[in-house]
Amino acid sequence: MAMLIATWKHCVYVFSTGLEDEVDTFQEEHERERHRGKRRDGERAKKKKRGNGEGRKRASRAGREEEKLQARREKKGRRKKSSSDQEAEGREGDEADQPTTKSSKAAKTRKNVKNEKTRKVEKEEKEDEADDEERNRKRKKKHGSNKKEENVEDGNTVKEKAGEVKKKKHKKVVETSSEKETSEEEDNEEEDSEEKEVRPETLTPEELEMLKEAVDERKKLIQGLRGKPWAMKKKLVTLRESQEFVDKYEGALGKGKGRKLYAYKVMMTKKWMKFKRDFENFKTACIPWEMKIKEIESHFGSSVASYFIFLRWMYGINMILFCLTFGLVMVPEALMGRPYGTIPRKTVPRAEAPSAMDFAVLWDFGGYAQYSVLFYGYYNNQRAIGWLKFRMPLSYFLVGVGTVAYSYMVVIRTMARNANESGVGDDNSFNFSWKMFTSWDYLIGNPETADNKFASITTIFKEAILEEQESRKDDNIHLTRFLRVLANFLVLCCLAGSGYLIYFVVRRSQKFALDGLENHTWWERNEVNMVMSLLGMFCPMLFDVISALENYHPRVALQWQLGRIFALFLGNLYTFIIALMDEINLKREEENIVKFNITTWEASHYNISASENSTSPPVTIQPADVPRGPCWETMVGQEFVRLIISDTMTTYITLLIGDFLRAVLVRFLNYCWCWDLEAGFPSYSEFDVSGNVLGLIFNQGMIWMGAFYAPCLPALNLLRLHVSMYLQCWAVMCCNVPQERVFKASGSNNFYMAMLLVILFLSTLPAIYTIVTIPPSFDCGPFSGKKRMFDVIQETLESDFPAWFSKVFSSASNPGLVLPFILLMQNEENKKKNKLAALKAQMDLEEARKAASPSAEHQKNNNASPDQEADEEEDRGRSQRMYHSKNGRSPPPHRHYGQLPATRAPVPRNYPHGNQGSAGYLPSFPRENEARMHRVPSLQRH
Amino acid sequence: MGNKQTIFTAQQLDSYQDCTYFTRKEILRLFDRYRDLAPQLVPLDYTCQPDVKLPYELIGSMPELKDNPFRQRIAEVFSDDGEGNMTLDDFLDMFSVMSEMAPRDLKAYYAFKIYDFNNDDFLCKSDLEKTLNKLTRNELTEDEVRMVCEKVIDESDLDNDGRLSLEDFQTMIVRAPDFLSTFHIRI
């Protein structure tokens, strides 16, 4: 109760200003505050004097009434004062009142308490309450045209209502009154007389509507409250008042007959809000590593933290991918598929069996690991497995597709969101202002980082000043040019060299593989991966050295560096893939031979068994003894897994040696060394954000590439990221120093995302290529026995769906129809988005020239004039908008077609394809190819 | 979960959640942070709204703020009394505005107030000079400072009155690519 009382203090104040502020800009708020402050100061002295008479108690009610009348006469002039004055008075009055109040804790609230008392007394006079209420409403309506006034008015009515609420609350307070209080009360007299109970029964529908509006407005206020630039106290009070108002009048609205639905709706919204909040709380509680990242952020600034946030985001994506592959592919096969050892593809061949459990073999993902759910080859081509009739091959295929589709979706959406969030950017018109007002990173909470930041800001300013003063003349432009060309030449040599090296190594490893791996050393077996990892480690350093030649501005240099590393990684990856393709071809030749051999082997086997014992069924052959093909898919999967493993290992080892060992040496050898190690040459390492991000991105690219052939890859990657998170967090905190040149983190986010998208695209290409062009192995994997992997879709359609469906589908899936349709859908999507933006802009515009209503009518009439392109577009947009608001989701196809001539294009193209042309899956539309071509650009404007 | 907390009533927590960009857990964590600054001053029971203020010296010594050249301004802007002494409400308010969730407009409004050293509702030359000197720790010469300030006013002063109003400031800051990511304190 004490707390409740405490908050009354500001009620009058808040209600007089609250609703105005809602529509006001921050600016106005600002202004007002200023005036208020000044005025309040002025009033203060006056009020002090007036407070003297307080403390005297009224003998009787009659006396009070008399006094009141008198006071009213006296104070008439003052009534006109702004509400802020009242508020100020209120405060002062409180101050003086103190001794008379009962609740000692909430000393400041006394005045309000008294107000309530007097009001309560007045409440008895209420007779014509309904009339008053109506008067209020009418007044409100009158001012409808002028927004500002309306709001003030609103504020008043709300104030009155709040007054009532207060009255009720304080009924129990002992009646203590004073001259001062009464006179104070006179200010509010007018309003008080109107403060009456609202009886829903007495309200007309219009009034109800008004009330509903007011309630909604309050609700909106509550929702937007956190975005208001007010002090917390004010917010709290406003919140309380609004909530009470809403509670009270929502109840009133709900009482009448036929309004039960409304009450119910309100209740459900409340529950829903509560649930949403709880869920929100839960969600934030679930975000991992928040504190870790925060700590790093305060030590190293936002750019280093952005790497870890990126890492966490990556972790999330991989979690989803892992769930997909694990839940829909690996687990079903392991639980419901035929167990290990029942069929050849699920058994280690006899020749490999003795070494199948050796650690070295397992580490290479051979032996038992190779013949397990981890790899493509293990999966059986049985159409449905287990009691669930789980369609394994289909699931395998769809998961592969889903992985890629999901990744695309997430990356693109994140990019879009980032693009929305970041400012317009790269406009140079506010160069200095931005440098001044946004260069300090408020996240920094570490003196060392702060020092670096100060230094870098100073440098930035000096550079900018220099640039501003004169466009610097390069003293020897020819030398610089020569050096840059030289540097690029060197880099190209590096790239070509690394590409060749990888190609060479891969070819050599094939030779080794043909010889049999057992005859070679560990290095020879792991050469490819090691070379790739080492190249990835040392080439960037080399580039760094080379870029010193170029003498670029650090930011430009960073971009060059990133670009080069990107090229290096990409080159390496693609060389690797090309070499792998060679290997696949080799394997396929091998497979053909094996296939031939098997038929002869089988023939001979059966001949033998038939000749030996013609009556008994064929002798059961141990699955381990059956000759089998090389299964190139598993080979590809293995390669990728090995690559990931060695990549991970190199990363960790680099981390330990390059960062940790270096830090330890520098730290402890410093005591007995001839120069200062910490400040001088080796010093501590910096955290290389761009390099690490690139590493992460390429790692992810490999996952995407290999995930189809090795379902275990996402799981491995998850593990890797998890360990990385902890290891790198630790390494950063314990052995890195903050960067000297701190680059801005924002904007780079989308830069990383763009790289990720490119990598995603480039890494799905080879995977798709192999899936589409190369026939699957004949004796391993879920698609064995099919001509192409995607035949599984066809098969499912034919056998699991009714005949008409597959017919419809096959005709609908012909590319001539599908492609335009997809394009259109995207177009539609864009349009929706743009329309929202356009709508918003339009609303703003309309508000700006709200008085000019004829224009709206004009627009309405435009339906009749189709030649006005722009207006027509607008109208269409509007109708569609209305449609959306009614229907929520996307419109049904025919509606959609009706609105967009553009969608009509594909149909004519479909006719040549024949027999299904007359089928009822799409209504036939007039051919409007020309119109479409003409249309599309104009649609995109929205 | 932590339903046993008795620091706030459920209602108080709800109100705080409505008034800030924080979740329940974060509010409690912020309270802990606040209390850690002066355990002897801050009671463990906020249900009766004790009137506690922490002096600026304590607020400014938080690790989040202590290296910030503008810490004093931040505290002054968000404190009720304008002198940097903060109640828990002010404290929550401050970190709510500085949180990730706060919208650009709100941040811009408070950023303006922070850079407005003399509280005259305009960023005049002296404000800019102070800002710049704080940013660079007085490393720039007077000429350079003057030049930069002139440039800033030149760039952003849309109404040509020789100083930046809130409007000018907002137009400028809203388009800044870095503003959201740097005007942000994670707690």
Side-chain angles (χ1 to χ4, degrees), chain A residues 14-15 18-19 158 162 214-215 217-223 225 230 235-249:
Chain A
V14 167
F15 270 95
L19 279 184
V158 167
V215 169
E217 213 165 314
R218 299 257 104 184
K219 276 188 195 158
K220 230 184 288 164
L221 178 64
I222 292 178
Q223 283 200 326
L225 196 59
W230 299 339
K235 281 197 271 191
L236 282 177
V237 174
T238 318
L239 175 71
R240 175 166 313 285
E241 302 296 348
S242 311
Q243 273 173 347
E244 256 157 32
F245 178 82
V246 168
D247 281 349
K248 181 169 160 61
Y249 289 100

Side-chain angles (χ1 to χ4, degrees), chain A residues 30 34 277 297 427 746, chain B residues 18 121 156 175 178 186:
Chain A
H30 192 62
R34 240 192 309 158
R277 172 170 290 170
E297 210 164 35
D427 182 351
S746 80
Chain B
D18 270 330
D121 299 304
S156 313
R175 301 164 70 188
D178 276 350
R186 201 186 282 259

Side-chain angles (χ1 to χ4, degrees), chain A residues 37 60 201 528 544 798:
Chain A
S60 66
E201 317 83 65
V528 181
D544 214 8
E798 274 162 17

Side-chain angles (χ1 to χ4, degrees), chain A residues 274-547:
Chain A
K274 171 123 179 47
F275 172 76
K276 249 187 4 198
R277 172 170 290 170
D278 286 349
F279 186 69
E280 208 63 28
N281 284 350
F282 174 73
K283 226 167 56 183
T284 42
C286 285
I287 296 176
W289 301 310
E290 193 69 27
M291 294 311 288
K292 256 188 176 5
I293 290 176
K294 191 238 138 188
E295 199 182 345
I296 289 172
E297 210 164 35
S298 67
H299 270 80
F300 294 91
S302 51
S303 67
V304 172
S306 74
Y307 166 74
F308 285 95
I309 291 172
F310 187 66
L311 180 60
R312 185 174 64 181
W313 181 80
M314 218 57 143
Y315 186 82
I317 288 189
N318 276 286
M319 184 68 98
I320 303 279
L321 297 188
F322 168 71
C323 289
L324 274 179
T325 50
F326 193 72
L328 291 177
V329 172
M330 290 166 82
V331 168
E333 178 72 20
L335 292 184
M336 300 190 285
R338 308 176 78 170
Y340 172 83
T342 48
I343 48 173
R345 72 184 66 179
K346 295 192 175 190
T347 322
V348 179
R350 183 74 66 196
E352 294 172 23
S355 64
M357 210 44 208
D358 292 359
F359 179 72
V361 175
L362 286 182
W363 184 248
D364 271 349
F365 287 87
Y368 284 111
Q370 186 181 347
Y371 299 96
S372 69
V373 277
L374 301 185
F375 291 103
Y376 173 92
Y378 181 80
Y379 294 83
N380 197 359
N381 62 348
Q382 199 181 348
R383 253 200 68 233
I385 57 172
W387 51 272
L388 278 177
K389 296 273 174 255
F390 191 77
R391 304 283 189 270
M392 193 60 218
L394 180 69
S395 160
Y396 196 100
F397 188 79
L398 289 184
V399 164
V401 172
T403 306
V404 172
Y406 170 77
S407 310
Y408 269 111
M409 197 190 76
V410 169
V411 172
I412 291 175
R413 283 187 73 167
T414 314
M415 277 183 82
R417 213 178 42 226
N418 281 354
N420 275 346
E421 270 173 17
S422 58
V424 187
D426 298 341
D427 182 351
N428 233 14
S429 55
F430 293 122
N431 190 6
F432 277 94
S433 314
W434 286 349
K435 282 197 175 79
M436 182 178 283
F437 294 119
T438 67
S439 57
W440 184 259
D441 193 341
Y442 280 66
L443 287 164
I444 291 174
N446 175 23
E448 216 171 327
T449 320
D451 285 346
N452 284 346
K453 190 74 191 178
F454 281 125
S456 89
I457 290 176
T458 313
T459 337
I460 287 173
F461 270 114
K462 286 201 166 142
E463 270 174 17
I465 290 169
L466 267 182
E467 264 170 42
E468 187 64 30
Q469 274 168 351
E470 38 141 11
S471 46
R472 264 182 304 171
K473 292 159 215 145
D474 262 332
D475 35 10
N476 196 340
I477 194 138
H478 293 297
L479 179 66
T480 325
R481 269 189 200 154
F482 169 72
L483 284 178
R484 286 182 185 175
V485 171
L486 181 70
N488 279 318
F489 177 72
L490 288 177
V491 169
L492 275 183
C493 287
C494 279
L495 290 178
S498 78
Y500 177 73
L501 190 61
I502 290 177
Y503 191 74
F504 172 76
V505 171
V506 173
R507 294 308 291 265
R508 206 165 73 147
S509 78
Q510 286 163 7
K511 217 171 63 204
F512 292 149
L514 285 182
D515 294 352
L517 281 176
E518 309 76 47
N519 312 327
H520 295 281
T521 58
W522 179 85
W523 169 257
E524 280 171 335
R525 274 184 274 130
N526 293 285
E527 208 173 33
V528 181
N529 310 321
M530 292 312 290
V531 164
M532 276 187 75
S533 305
L534 287 178
L535 279 177
M537 206 164 93
F538 286 111
C539 279
M541 293 185 199
L542 207 60
F543 292 162
D544 214 8
V545 174
I546 291 173
S547 73

Side-chain angles (χ1 to χ4, degrees), chain A residues 851-912:
Chain A
S853 51
S855 72
E857 278 171 40
H858 167 72
Q859 276 187 348
K860 252 179 234 163
N861 293 335
N862 265 338
N863 278 331
S865 58
D867 50 344
Q868 293 183 359
E869 181 89 351
D871 287 339
E872 191 193 16
E873 289 296 339
E874 266 178 28
D875 280 336
R876 182 174 301 146
R878 197 172 300 127
S879 65
Q880 186 141 354
R881 233 180 289 129
M882 282 163 61
Y883 187 85
H884 279 303
S885 63
K886 266 184 252 157
N887 212 358
R889 299 276 158 176
S890 61
H894 68 270
R895 170 75 184 226
H896 172 117
Y897 279 95
Q899 280 165 356
L900 294 174
T903 50
R904 297 172 192 179
V907 179
R909 256 193 250 167
N910 197 32
Y911 287 130

Side-chain angles (χ1 to χ4, degrees), chain A residues 619-660:
Chain A
V619 182
T620 49
I621 312 152
Q622 284 291 309
D625 294 328
V626 176
R628 56 188 80 177
C631 197
W632 61 268
E633 292 96 337
T634 298
M635 185 270 297
V636 171
Q638 269 176 311
E639 287 297 332
F640 275 108
V641 171
R642 280 179 209 148
L643 203 60
I644 295 285
I645 295 280
S646 73
D647 190 49
T648 313
M649 287 298 135
T650 359
T651 315
Y652 292 164
I653 289 169
T654 330
L655 201 72
L656 285 181
I657 293 177
D659 286 353
F660 182 64

